[in-house]
Amino acid sequence: MSARHRGEQRDSLGDALTALWILGHTIALGLLTDLIVNHDRADAVERAPSAAAPDNPAF
């Protein structure tokens, strides 16, 4: 009789799926973070007065 436990053998398919799950969630969180940061920057640019383009150009 062997003293080996059932969970001792590694399940490579399960490990691969776990790695894909972690990678997918990491990418999703990164994209959401980028979206939020860019949205906040766009709001700040819209609120700031533009010094480069005057309202009434003298042409």
Side-chain angles (χ1 to χ4, degrees):
M1 187 166 179
S2 173
R4 199 179 270 192
H5 296 283
R6 286 172 99 184
E8 195 171 316
Q9 295 176 348
R10 298 296 297 173
D11 180 20
S12 59
L13 180 60
D15 290 344
L17 291 175
T18 301
L20 284 175
W21 184 83
I22 291 171
L23 180 63
H25 280 78
T26 302
I27 290 171
L29 285 173
L31 290 173
L32 286 172
T33 301
D34 189 50
L35 179 70
I36 291 169
V37 168
N38 285 334
H39 188 309
D40 288 344
R41 287 182 186 162
D43 286 346
V45 168
E46 288 176 4
R47 284 179 279 170
S50 177
D55 291 335
N56 296 320
F59 290 125

